């Protein structure tokens, strides 16, 4: 609210300064024809005094009409009628100021239409000129204010959209991470009952992964190298659980510090374990290939599955991931191949694309 008021004051202050400069320039240019005997310093001084005097009329008029238009809650026809009354009052004050003050006290002459005949206080032509002058000014003020409000509204909409996207991403990520935590805790519980020697190692690996998920990943972007290290830690935990698992991990990065949204890539690995390896009765495998060349990430995961496996839950998981990618990297490419005995997922992200930042 406070920044909105400051923005309005700053915008309107700049407007009135520029408007005054414009009016002084135009009237100063016109005065050399109406008052050719006046020296230019005198004409400039008179023009500045003239326009400052007019501002005392125009500023209250403009904001009175703006107040009626924005704040007074009445029927539109009465609102227009009230604006017309304010405008007519402004024309009369404008004419009074011009006829009785400007010409006799500033220029020291009587007001005339053509340089010869005196003009009355109410005259059709001069009243029309005053009307057009005020209409032009009011139109500028309304245009400036409407534009300012539109820009402010667009900024607020952009902020709300960004907040909505952040909230949606947080919710989408939260749907996946607890699954891994609960499963791992169950595994640790089972290992503890058996008094397995690997139990302390699993706890340490879990602590490292959760530290990354909760603290290090609580940012919009992180280096690709750190995100891949988290995937490796995750796989180490799963390898302790799945003794018959074969893992092939290929990594080729020409720019390891390339930033990426955290916890995006690991979700494909989680999906591979949840709907592939965990459902396999015998030997299972996961093949992961990550390459980054010239700002283009290519990510391929291939994992085994049982031929009887139902793919609906897999599709639901990939739908969640795909939604996150749409929000973060709109021009990504993602393909999923569901074969009889394996899943193949290929993802490509072009970090050179500015729309993906």
């Amino acid at each position: 609210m406070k920044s909105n008021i400051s923005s309005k004051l700053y915008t309107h202050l700049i407007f009135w300064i520029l408007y005054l400069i414009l009016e002084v320039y135009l009237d100063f240019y016109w005065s050399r024809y109406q008052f050719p005997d006046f020296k230019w310093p005198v004409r400039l001084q008179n023009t500045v005094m003239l326009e400052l005097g007019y501002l005392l009329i125009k500023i209250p008029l403009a904001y009175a009409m703006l107040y009626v238009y924005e704040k007074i809650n009445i029927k539109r026809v009465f609102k227009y009628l009230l604006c017309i009354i304010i405008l007519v009052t402004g024309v009369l004050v404008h004419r009074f100021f011009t006829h009785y003050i400007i010409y006799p006290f500033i220029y020291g002459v009587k007001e005339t239409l053509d340089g010869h005949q005196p003009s009355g206080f109410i005259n059709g032509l001069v009243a029309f000129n005053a009307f057009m002058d005020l209409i032009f000014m009011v139109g500028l003020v309304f245009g400036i204010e409407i534009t300012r409000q539109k820009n402010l509204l667009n900024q607020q909409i952009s902020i709300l959209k960004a907040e909505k996207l952040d909230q949606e991403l947080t919710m989408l990520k939260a749907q996946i991470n607890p699954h891994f935590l609960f499963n791992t805790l169950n595994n640790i519980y089972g290992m503890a009952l058996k008094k397995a020697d690997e139990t302390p190692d699993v706890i340490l690996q879990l602590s490292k992964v959760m530290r990354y998920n909760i603290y290090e990943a609580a940012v919009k972007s992180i280096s690709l190298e750190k995100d891949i290290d988290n995937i490796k830690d995750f796989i180490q935990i799963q390898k302790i659980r799945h003794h018959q698992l074969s893992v092939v991990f290929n990594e080729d990065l020409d720019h390891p510090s390339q930033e990426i949204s955290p916890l995006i890539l690991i979700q494909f690995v989680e999906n591979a374990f949840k709907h592939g390896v965990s459902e396999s009765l015998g030997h299972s495998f996961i093949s992961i290939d990550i390459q980054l060349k010239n700002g283009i990430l290519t990510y391929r995961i291939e994992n085994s599955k049982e031929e009887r496996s139902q793919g609906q839950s897999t599709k639901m998981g990939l739908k969640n991931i795909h939604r996150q990618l749409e929000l973060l990297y709109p021009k990504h490419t993602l393909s999923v191949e569901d074969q009889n005995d394996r899943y193949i997922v290929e993802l490509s992200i072009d970090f050179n694309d500015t729309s993906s930042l």
Side-chain angles (χ1 to χ4, degrees):
M1 182 65 180
K2 190 174 182 179
S3 60
N4 184 19
I5 296 175
S6 299
S7 170
K8 184 173 183 177
L9 290 175
Y10 177 78
T11 302
H12 283 256
L13 178 61
I14 295 297
F15 164 76
W16 286 115
I17 292 174
L18 294 177
Y19 178 79
L20 177 62
I21 293 173
L22 174 64
E23 289 294 296
V24 168
Y25 171 77
L26 294 176
D27 277 349
F28 178 71
Y29 183 83
W30 167 79
S31 67
R32 67 179 181 176
Y33 297 104
Q34 189 175 22
F35 305 105
D37 297 333
F38 287 18
K39 299 291 185 179
W40 76 264
V42 177
R43 287 192 294 109
L44 179 60
Q45 176 183 327
N46 291 344
T47 302
V48 172
M49 292 175 60
L50 165 68
E51 292 304 328
L52 288 174
Y54 276 143
L55 282 186
L56 297 177
I57 301 171
K58 293 178 178 180
I59 291 177
L61 170 68
Y63 290 113
M65 295 186 68
L66 200 61
Y67 181 82
V68 170
Y69 180 78
E70 292 184 339
K71 302 297 183 181
I72 297 182
N73 187 19
I74 56 177
K75 290 185 178 179
R76 185 170 298 180
V77 62
F78 295 114
K79 187 175 292 191
Y80 289 157
L81 181 60
L82 188 55
C83 287
I84 291 173
I85 293 173
I86 294 173
L87 184 60
V88 170
T89 303
V91 171
L92 294 176
V93 175
H94 187 284
R95 288 298 307 126
F96 179 89
F97 180 73
T98 303
H99 189 77
Y100 292 108
I101 298 177
I102 291 176
Y103 278 90
F105 291 100
I106 295 181
Y107 292 115
V109 297
K110 290 184 177 181
E111 181 186 18
T112 61
L113 295 176
D114 55 6
H116 301 288
Q117 298 296 327
S119 65
F121 172 63
I122 299 297
N123 181 284
L125 179 60
V126 292
F128 178 76
N129 289 338
F131 174 79
M132 293 304 297
D133 183 30
L134 296 180
I135 280 291
F136 174 72
M137 177 274 303
V138 170
L140 287 177
V141 172
F142 270 71
I144 290 294
E145 179 60 18
I146 291 173
T147 301
R148 188 194 67 82
Q149 291 182 5
K150 185 177 180 180
N151 291 336
L152 182 62
L153 180 61
N154 289 336
Q155 291 176 6
Q156 292 174 343
I157 291 175
S158 298
I159 293 173
L160 289 175
K161 284 183 177 180
E163 291 177 351
K164 182 177 181 296
L165 292 180
D166 287 342
Q167 290 175 358
E168 186 173 353
L169 284 171
T170 301
M171 291 178 63
L172 288 170
K173 290 179 180 180
Q175 294 173 15
I176 293 178
N177 293 334
H179 171 81
F180 162 68
L181 175 61
F182 296 146
N183 270 2
T184 305
L185 288 176
N186 286 334
N187 295 335
I188 292 174
Y189 175 73
M191 295 171 67
L193 290 178
K194 297 177 182 179
K195 298 182 179 179
D197 294 335
E198 302 95 333
T199 304
D201 295 332
V202 176
I203 294 175
L204 286 176
Q205 289 288 344
L206 176 61
S207 174
K208 188 177 178 182
V209 170
M210 294 311 298
R211 185 184 300 111
Y212 177 86
N213 287 6
I214 296 173
Y215 297 107
E216 296 183 46
V219 292
K220 289 189 176 181
S221 60
I222 200 166
S223 71
L224 187 58
E225 185 177 35
K226 285 187 177 181
D227 209 51
I228 292 176
D229 287 342
N230 182 58
I231 295 175
K232 293 177 180 178
D233 291 332
F234 173 83
I235 292 175
Q236 278 301 117
I237 295 176
Q238 297 291 1
K239 285 176 69 175
I240 295 175
R241 175 189 173 198
H242 302 282
H243 297 284
Q244 296 180 319
L245 172 65
S246 172
V247 178
V248 177
F249 198 107
N250 295 319
E251 175 186 350
D252 186 9
L253 309 177
D254 63 0
H255 185 35
S257 60
Q258 169 66 53
E259 302 248 314
I260 189 173
S261 177
L263 305 178
I264 285 291
L265 300 182
I266 195 174
Q267 295 180 33
F268 293 98
V269 182
E270 288 179 341
N271 215 45
F273 276 98
K274 181 179 178 182
H275 303 296
V277 175
S278 296
E279 296 177 353
S280 299
L281 299 178
H283 290 278
S284 56
F285 72 89
I286 291 180
S287 175
I288 301 174
D289 185 77
I290 302 177
Q291 294 186 18
L292 179 66
K293 298 293 183 182
N294 300 320
I296 299 177
L297 175 70
T298 304
Y299 185 43
R300 187 180 191 273
I301 297 183
E302 182 176 347
N303 66 276
S304 59
K305 71 162 189 171
E306 292 294 318
E307 293 188 12
R308 60 177 176 79
S309 175
Q310 299 295 323
Q312 185 62 31
S313 59
T314 306
K315 292 178 181 179
M316 292 299 294
L318 288 174
K319 183 178 179 181
N320 187 325
I321 301 170
H322 188 60
R323 177 55 182 160
Q324 295 182 55
L325 289 167
E326 284 180 342
L327 297 175
L328 293 167
Y329 306 102
K331 294 186 179 181
H332 73 279
T333 58
L334 176 64
S335 65
V336 180
E337 187 176 348
D338 186 359
Q339 299 182 0
N340 290 333
D341 62 342
R342 68 190 61 199
Y343 289 114
I344 302 174
V345 178
E346 292 185 348
L347 170 67
S348 178
I349 298 176
D350 186 357
F351 293 109
N352 301 310
D353 180 13
T354 56
S355 66
S356 297
L357 298 179

